[in-house]
Amino acid sequence: MLNKFALVILVLVTLCSTTMSYKVEPLPDSYAGLGEGPHWDEQRQSLYYVDIEAGGLLRYDYKQNKVYKAQIEGEKLAGFVLPIAGNPQEFAVGCGRRVVIVNWDGASPVAKPVRTLFEVQPEYEANRFNDAKTDPRGRLYGGTMRYIGDEFVHRHGELYMWQAGSNAEVVKSDVGISNGLAWDEQNKKFYYIDTTDYEVKSYDYDVNTGKVSNPKVIYNLRKTSPKDHLLPDGMTIDTEGNLYVATFNGATIYKVNPSTGKVMLEIKMPTKQITSVAFGGPNMDILYVTTAAKFDQPSPAGTTYKVTGLNAKGYPGVSLKI
């Protein structure tokens, strides 16, 4: 009897040590007032991300352990940053309701707009692009939100898909805050977050055409009352198909099994407003985390972090094909 009891205790201790083995560390000089859109560039061993309301681009160089920052000339907003395939100094950036091609060497303090790739929603001047990513085939998926007024009331955002040689297509309307995106190419699934819906949805995903269909709620973050609702923000996926959901105001990243909707791990962070996540590093086993310092959040809000020891790997970002 004693041996069985001791065995149970040992198992519990092992489980606790396993779930708490991760380590959270800040990146040096990585502050962004509204950090977002982390994208790991495997070729350059760099993490690119944005400071949305400052119109800023940032690059964390893994080998140098250093962050470079640039202001986009003439722009006040930068919703996302995506490297362009075949053009190492060109990036697609969400500037307001436009997707702009920007030239940046990754080190200079100024980045220069080159041309506008496309624009959406001219009738909604109070809207802007928020999160965007490229799918496994290099198409751009990105969505808009109202940034002046109440996004929970005025659901004027839309989710778009754009690919070379085509116009932007509306994937979903009636969006409050278009946010996290992830793809599981093996299982032909696309995952999407509209923050104002408090949930993660899965879609059937056609790899060849990029079309998505059959939305289904796979993870619900609603609590007992509206003031308790967790706000899902950015998201990524690991090589085993598990999702990592950042929570704005929740100080937590949830590792979720999308097949069961069960939380496998809660990654606790030292600041509340967790905006997005992306795997990176030489072995793709470091989870990079962007945060925000909105509404007078105290330090270390706005810091960008790395989380190690998760015993998981992700995928590098895909460059946009234009």
Side-chain angles (χ1 to χ4, degrees):
M1 207 47 138
L2 185 61
N3 288 341
K4 286 183 180 180
F5 179 76
L7 182 60
V8 169
I9 295 296
L10 179 62
V11 170
L12 288 173
V13 169
T14 302
L15 286 173
C16 288
S17 64
T18 300
T19 56
M20 295 302 292
S21 62
Y22 64 84
K23 185 178 182 181
V24 179
E25 299 172 274
L27 300 184
D29 190 29
S30 60
Y31 176 86
L34 182 48
E36 253 286 10
H39 175 104
W40 179 258
D41 188 296
E42 187 174 36
Q43 185 176 357
R44 286 170 275 201
Q45 289 293 293
S46 291
L47 182 79
Y48 290 90
Y49 60 107
V50 295
D51 189 346
I52 294 181
E53 294 176 343
L57 303 182
L58 300 94
R59 180 179 72 91
Y60 169 68
D61 188 301
Y62 176 85
K63 293 177 182 176
Q64 297 179 11
N65 192 33
K66 180 178 179 179
V67 174
Y68 294 88
K69 301 179 181 182
Q71 174 71 39
I72 304 173
E73 198 172 65
E75 299 292 345
K76 296 180 180 179
L77 296 168
F80 61 85
V81 56
L82 299 169
I84 302 297
N87 294 280
Q89 293 194 13
E90 286 193 348
F91 300 85
V93 181
C95 297
R97 291 173 288 103
R98 296 166 294 128
V99 175
V100 176
I101 302 300
V102 173
N103 189 285
W104 186 39
D105 62 7
S108 301
V110 176
K112 298 192 175 186
V114 177
R115 67 185 187 280
T116 296
L117 193 61
F118 65 92
E119 184 175 354
V120 299
Q121 297 189 302
E123 71 277 21
Y124 289 119
E125 292 186 3
N127 276 19
R128 67 164 175 82
F129 267 106
N130 197 42
D131 208 355
K133 287 184 181 177
T134 40
D135 79 347
R137 298 294 175 87
R139 308 177 186 96
L140 186 151
Y141 286 72
T144 54
M145 60 173 282
R146 187 182 180 96
Y147 74 97
I148 300 172
D150 191 336
E151 311 94 332
F152 288 79
V153 175
H154 303 287
R155 297 173 59 90
H156 295 163
E158 291 181 321
L159 174 66
Y160 300 90
M161 187 267 282
W162 179 92
Q163 57 186 329
S166 302
N167 295 321
E169 300 177 24
V170 176
V171 175
K172 186 183 187 306
S173 297
D174 185 32
V175 172
I177 302 175
S178 189
N179 241 318
L181 313 101
W183 290 264
D184 185 333
E185 190 172 7
Q186 183 177 351
N187 291 310
K188 299 179 180 178
K189 292 293 183 182
F190 166 65
Y191 300 101
Y192 175 64
I193 290 171
D194 176 351
T195 297
T196 59
D197 286 341
Y198 310 108
E199 59 196 20
V200 182
K201 289 187 175 76
S202 74
Y203 292 76
D204 294 333
Y205 166 64
D206 188 315
V207 180
N208 295 316
T209 65
K211 302 293 185 182
V212 301
S213 58
N214 302 323
K216 177 185 176 184
V217 176
I218 55 102
Y219 182 47
N220 189 336
L221 286 88
R222 290 179 182 85
K223 299 296 180 181
T224 53
S225 66
K227 65 180 174 56
D228 295 326
H229 291 337
L230 285 170
L231 299 178
D233 205 314
M235 171 172 57
T236 193
I237 190 168
D238 68 21
T239 55
E240 296 182 351
N242 301 305
L243 300 174
Y244 296 72
V245 181
T247 59
F248 194 88
N249 286 341
T252 307
I253 300 157
Y254 290 92
K255 179 181 180 179
V256 178
N257 181 329
S259 299
T260 64
K262 300 297 184 184
V263 174
M264 303 171 69
L265 177 67
E266 296 184 13
I267 304 169
K268 297 297 183 181
M269 302 297 296
T271 185
K272 285 179 64 176
Q273 298 171 348
I274 315 304
T275 56
S276 196
V277 285
F279 278 99
N283 300 312
M284 295 304 303
D285 59 353
I286 300 171
L287 187 68
Y288 291 101
V289 182
T290 53
T291 72
K294 294 279 288 180
F295 316 119
D296 299 317
Q297 282 291 301
S299 180
T303 299
T304 306
Y305 294 90
K306 65 176 180 179
V307 183
T308 54
L310 291 170
N311 195 30
K313 293 185 177 183
Y315 301 98
V318 179
S319 295
L320 177 63
K321 295 180 180 177
I322 64 173

